[in-house]
Amino acid sequence: MSDHADAQFGRFLSGLPPNQLQDLEVISNHQLARESFRALNHHALSLKELKISNLREESLTSLDEFKDCTSLRTLRLDDLNGTTPLESRHNDIFLSLRTWLTSLPHLKSLHLQRLLDSPLLLHSLLLTPTIHLEKLTIIGYTAATQPARDLHSALAHHPSLTSLSIKADGDDMTPTDRNSLVTSLCKLPHLRELELKDISDEFTNSHITTLATHLPLLEYLWVSGDLITDAVLPALAQLRQLRTLMFMALTRFTVEALLDDFVANLEGPGNWGFNLNVLNECGEELTEDGVGVVREAIAAKVEGSFEFSNWRDPDVSEFEGESD
């Protein structure tokens, strides 16, 4: 877009009949900022879906212009660089944005990506009694901070959630941090989709078993972890709606437990078409033959599938040890 794109697009939006625009998605690199965002208020009553990627600092510091757009049901904001701290550098903008986000009573789906202040913004939103999110995606924050801890605690106060996806840097999280996160997640009984990327890298068998026990409606679970074993399988096998299970953790499973404690307990129609992904297996029992046996058993029981790969040491070359 040209340097005049913001003014041009703003004039275009203002030139439309009022309250005609129902959804807007911007995915390209752009210079949209204050004039375009202000013009969206011309469609405040009709605008239901707003998705803007590649937000630069000038765009981020113009987000306070959305204040009249309170009919939104879907909102996505993606910071291009993840380097603009609104709360500390542009506090007036941060406060206006927080006030606006907590004034969206119809909001059902929210996606925030690489916004440095996501934990602070979401903490307030999740505790707003007039907002009942169903889908929440948060990408790109540091979990071992006090704002993140407050965010994780606030999740427990939002039981309307049916889909939750978190991708956050979990380095330096303490055992208490991880336990508190799991405790909050267990208070979301309507969850059907749960994705925990990076933030769950140090999860144990106990964390995964606890989640499975408290979230009976799960249909999709993506989790990592620190050496997950057969101990998690009986609890996971009780998830009668589970269709996809993704283990990005280091795992050490046995054929016997996968067959007896897990596959044998899968049932239709809830588990029909079930897909199991074990993608970092570091044990020795799951040989090629063993994987074939498990794959055939899943296919026979629920017409499902089994994707498998062994863990590869990132410090060892793929070709190390090979000779000419």
Side-chain angles (χ1 to χ4, degrees):
M1 286 189 177
S2 71
D3 292 339
H4 304 293
D6 182 38
Q8 291 172 351
F9 193 60
R11 287 195 295 271
F12 168 75
L13 292 173
S14 297
L16 295 173
N19 295 312
Q20 293 296 304
L21 187 66
Q22 296 185 28
D23 60 83
L24 174 66
E25 181 171 10
V26 181
I27 59 176
S28 62
N29 288 324
H30 61 84
Q31 281 77 45
L32 301 186
R34 191 159 298 279
E35 293 193 47
S36 296
F37 297 167
R38 183 184 299 124
L40 282 173
N41 292 302
H42 189 58
H43 305 279
L45 298 179
S46 61
L47 190 63
K48 299 295 189 295
E49 183 172 305
L50 178 61
K51 299 179 180 179
I52 307 180
S53 300
N54 299 309
L55 288 162
R56 304 169 188 271
E57 182 164 358
E58 185 179 0
S59 304
L60 290 165
T61 56
S62 302
L63 292 177
D64 58 322
E65 291 289 353
F66 291 144
K67 56 183 177 296
D68 292 335
C69 298
T70 57
S71 297
L72 290 174
R73 295 182 58 86
T74 299
L75 175 64
R76 175 170 179 158
L77 299 173
D78 294 359
D79 187 339
L80 176 62
N81 300 308
T83 57
T84 303
L86 292 177
E87 194 268 342
S88 60
R89 190 182 299 172
H90 306 280
N91 189 252
D92 56 335
I93 305 297
F94 168 80
L95 293 174
S96 294
L97 179 58
R98 186 177 66 179
T99 297
W100 174 63
L101 286 172
T102 56
S103 68
L104 303 176
H106 308 291
L107 192 64
K108 298 301 178 185
S109 176
L110 177 62
H111 180 125
L112 297 181
Q113 184 162 329
R114 288 190 296 273
L115 268 70
L116 291 182
D117 298 301
S118 290
L120 290 169
L121 294 169
L122 286 169
H123 176 256
S124 298
L125 183 146
L126 292 170
L127 296 179
T128 301
T130 55
I131 295 178
H132 305 284
L133 289 179
E134 295 175 0
K135 183 175 183 178
L136 175 61
T137 300
I138 326 163
I139 297 175
Y141 68 94
T142 301
T145 64
Q146 191 56 50
R149 295 183 186 104
D150 293 340
L151 162 63
H152 298 159
S153 296
L155 285 169
H157 299 273
H158 220 81
S160 58
L161 283 169
T162 61
S163 176
L164 176 63
S165 177
I166 298 176
K167 179 178 172 61
D169 180 359
D171 292 349
D172 300 323
M173 287 181 75
T174 66
T176 298
D177 290 336
R178 288 187 286 274
N179 291 341
S180 297
L181 172 61
V182 170
T183 296
S184 288
L185 294 175
C186 287
K187 295 180 180 179
L188 304 176
H190 302 295
L191 272 185
R192 296 184 178 275
E193 300 176 354
L194 178 60
E195 192 171 64
L196 299 171
K197 294 186 175 181
D198 299 344
I199 197 171
S200 62
D201 281 355
E202 298 297 323
F203 272 23
T204 64
N205 286 335
S206 177
H207 292 127
I208 295 174
T209 298
T210 300
L211 288 173
T213 302
H214 288 82
L215 303 175
L217 300 182
L218 280 180
E219 300 174 6
Y220 175 93
L221 176 62
W222 195 114
V223 67
S224 51
D226 183 21
L227 194 55
I228 304 305
T229 70
D230 295 340
V232 302
L233 297 175
L236 290 168
Q238 299 307 307
L239 295 173
R240 295 299 177 216
Q241 306 301 317
L242 194 64
R243 298 290 181 90
T244 300
L245 176 57
M246 299 279 294
F247 279 116
M248 288 301 294
L250 282 176
T251 55
R252 185 173 292 160
F253 292 131
T254 64
V255 173
E256 180 181 9
L258 283 169
L259 293 175
D260 296 343
D261 295 338
F262 190 73
V263 178
N265 292 301
L266 295 176
E267 296 181 356
N271 299 133
W272 205 254
F274 173 78
N275 176 237
L276 173 63
N277 296 262
V278 175
L279 302 179
N280 282 297
E281 174 66 22
C282 64
E284 298 181 356
E285 167 122 1
L286 282 174
T287 61
E288 184 175 348
D289 288 343
V291 169
V293 169
V294 175
R295 184 174 288 129
E296 290 176 4
I298 294 175
K301 189 71 185 292
V302 288
E303 293 190 6
S305 59
F306 179 29
E307 303 297 328
F308 175 87
S309 63
N310 285 303
W311 175 74
R312 187 184 299 278
D313 189 334
D315 296 323
V316 176
S317 168
E318 180 178 356
F319 305 104
E320 188 168 318
E322 293 185 2
S323 58
D324 296 334

